[in-house]
């Protein structure tokens, strides 16, 4: 199963909680820093601070979406090639959660991280990085719209009522949930 997320949208915390509640495995990609200085990546997203700002194969995307034992969280860039891969999956199996956050808030959070920022997004490329955060947020609405069956979750809604949003995901994915339990995201900072 796949969660596509804007940067700094609490998607890692949400996915960690979902994996624990649903006893799912974590999907692993061979992560590495892409060589953005030599134009490795998707045009228009060269300064997006994600190692996965590259074209993903349709087979890999399909495996992320259709394997109900694994939960994958990625910043799958909203481009036509990725949309086509997702839309080729039967709608009953194409249950993808889209986690969103205001681009400026997301960018500010990225700039305030205690860890290193890849692709010089805190330095000389910060303006380009902000533009790409804004572009990602705008294009995620176009490429992965709710009308096509994608479930959208706003950062603010997740923060204010994690129980409600987790239940929405369970329902969307067809998993039963305990009506007596109050679902939380303990990893949320």
């Amino acid at each position: 199963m796949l969660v596509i997320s804007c940067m700094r949208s609490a998607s890692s915390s949400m996915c960690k909680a979902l994996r624990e509640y649903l006893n799912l495995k974590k999907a692993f990609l061979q992560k590495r820093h892409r060589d953005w200085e030599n134009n490795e990546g998707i045009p228009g997203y060269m300064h997006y601070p994600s190692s996965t700002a590259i074209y993903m194969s349709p087979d890999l995307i399909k495996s992320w979406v259709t394997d109900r034992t694994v939960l994958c969280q990625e910043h799958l860039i909203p481009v036509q090639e990725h949309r086509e891969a997702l839309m080729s999956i039967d709608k009953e199996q194409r249950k993808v959660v889209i986690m969103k956050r205001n681009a400026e808030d997301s960018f500010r959070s990225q700039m305030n991280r205690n860890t290193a920022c890849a692709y010089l997004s805190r330095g000389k490329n910060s303006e380009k990085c902000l533009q790409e955060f804004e572009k990602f947020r705008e294009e995620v609405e176009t490429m992965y719209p709710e009308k096509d069956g994608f479930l959208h979750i706003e950062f603010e809604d997740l923060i204010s009522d994690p129980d409600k949003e987790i239940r929405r995901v369970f329902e969307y994915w067809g998993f039963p949930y305990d009506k007596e339990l109050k679902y939380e995201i303990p990893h949320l900072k």
Side-chain angles (χ1 to χ4, degrees):
M1 293 173 300
L2 177 61
V3 171
I4 298 174
S5 60
C6 294
M7 295 291 291
R8 313 296 297 154
S9 63
S11 57
S12 295
S13 296
M14 171 74 144
C15 288
K16 185 172 182 182
L18 288 169
R19 281 187 204 98
E20 290 171 6
Y21 286 129
L22 298 172
N23 197 28
L24 299 171
K25 294 179 278 183
K26 182 177 183 174
F28 287 98
L29 247 183
Q30 187 69 23
K31 296 266 186 178
R32 62 173 179 76
H33 287 288
R34 57 192 166 81
D35 188 3
W36 61 274
E37 291 177 300
N38 288 312
N39 294 320
E40 182 184 23
I42 295 176
Y45 287 99
M46 288 300 180
H47 305 287
Y48 197 74
S50 173
S51 59
T52 57
I54 56 176
Y55 292 106
M56 298 295 179
S57 79
D59 290 339
L60 180 61
I61 293 170
K62 288 176 189 175
S63 71
W64 286 343
V65 174
T66 59
D67 186 341
R68 293 186 52 88
T69 65
V70 172
L71 178 55
C72 179
Q73 178 267 323
E74 282 299 335
H75 308 294
L76 188 67
I77 302 298
V79 292
Q80 190 61 36
E81 293 84 345
H82 294 157
R83 176 177 167 70
E84 288 171 6
L86 289 167
M87 296 305 289
S88 73
I89 302 167
D90 178 66
K91 191 172 184 175
E92 293 305 309
Q93 286 189 294
R94 186 183 355 110
K95 300 290 185 181
V96 179
V97 174
I98 310 295
M99 296 192 61
K100 305 181 299 185
R101 186 175 185 183
N102 171 283
E104 288 181 15
D105 292 344
S106 181
F107 177 75
R108 238 183 334 275
S109 176
Q110 179 73 11
M111 293 303 106
N112 291 328
R113 290 181 78 177
N114 291 329
T115 58
C117 262
Y119 318 112
L120 301 178
S121 56
R122 272 201 200 119
K124 69 178 186 178
N125 294 331
S126 63
E127 185 64 32
K128 292 175 186 171
C129 183
L130 173 59
Q131 291 168 359
E132 290 173 14
F133 271 56
E134 291 167 343
K135 180 179 179 174
F136 188 101
R137 173 59 199 242
E138 290 169 14
E139 291 184 356
V140 80
E141 301 288 348
T142 304
M143 292 293 168
Y144 313 132
E146 289 183 287
K147 72 176 181 61
D148 287 340
F150 299 96
L151 176 67
H152 287 224
I153 296 177
E154 290 285 349
F155 175 79
E156 294 78 13
D157 296 336
L158 180 63
I159 297 301
S160 67
D161 194 349
D163 179 69
K164 177 184 172 189
E165 298 306 315
I166 288 173
R167 289 176 191 276
R168 284 182 62 215
V169 172
F170 280 17
E171 224 170 88
Y172 175 71
W173 280 341
F175 285 105
Y177 55 84
D178 185 339
K179 291 182 168 105
E180 304 300 316
L181 183 63
K182 181 164 176 66
Y183 292 97
E184 298 177 351
I185 303 176
H187 325 286
L188 203 54
K189 296 177 185 170

